[in-house]
Amino acid sequence: MSKRPLMVLIVLVLISIAAWVVWYFYPTPVQQALYETESMQLVKERTAEAFVEHMVNSREQSNV
């Protein structure tokens, strides 16, 4: 086997690995948008929970 086909094979394998790494680790714009939407929803839920807890605690203190 000559060196040229072996070099072409190695280059194709390296390109395939690089493409998989990019596809796996870097989110697409749609994935990024979904992640940001989920993050915002989580922030809203935690804010609402903290607000309700604060209101309950302040009412308990005013009733004492």
Side-chain angles (χ1 to χ4, degrees), residues 25-39:
F25 287 107
Y26 292 98
T28 63
V30 172
Q31 289 172 327
Q32 188 67 28
L34 287 174
Y35 174 73
E36 289 173 1
T37 303
E38 290 172 358
S39 295

Side-chain angles (χ1 to χ4, degrees), residues 45-61:
E45 289 174 6
R46 288 185 177 173
T47 303
E49 289 171 0
F51 177 74
V52 168
E53 186 175 330
H54 171 73
M55 293 301 290
V56 168
N57 288 339
S58 64
R59 285 190 181 188
E60 286 176 356
Q61 288 177 358

Side-chain angles (χ1 to χ4, degrees), residues 7-48:
M7 292 295 286
V8 169
L9 184 63
I10 290 172
V11 167
L12 288 175
V13 168
L14 291 176
I15 289 173
S16 299
I17 292 171
W20 180 85
V21 166
V22 168
W23 176 82
Y24 187 79
F25 287 107
Y26 292 98
T28 63
V30 172
Q31 289 172 327
Q32 188 67 28
L34 287 174
Y35 174 73
E36 289 173 1
T37 303
E38 290 172 358
S39 295
M40 287 302 297
Q41 185 65 29
L42 185 61
V43 167
K44 288 178 184 176
E45 289 174 6
R46 288 185 177 173
T47 303

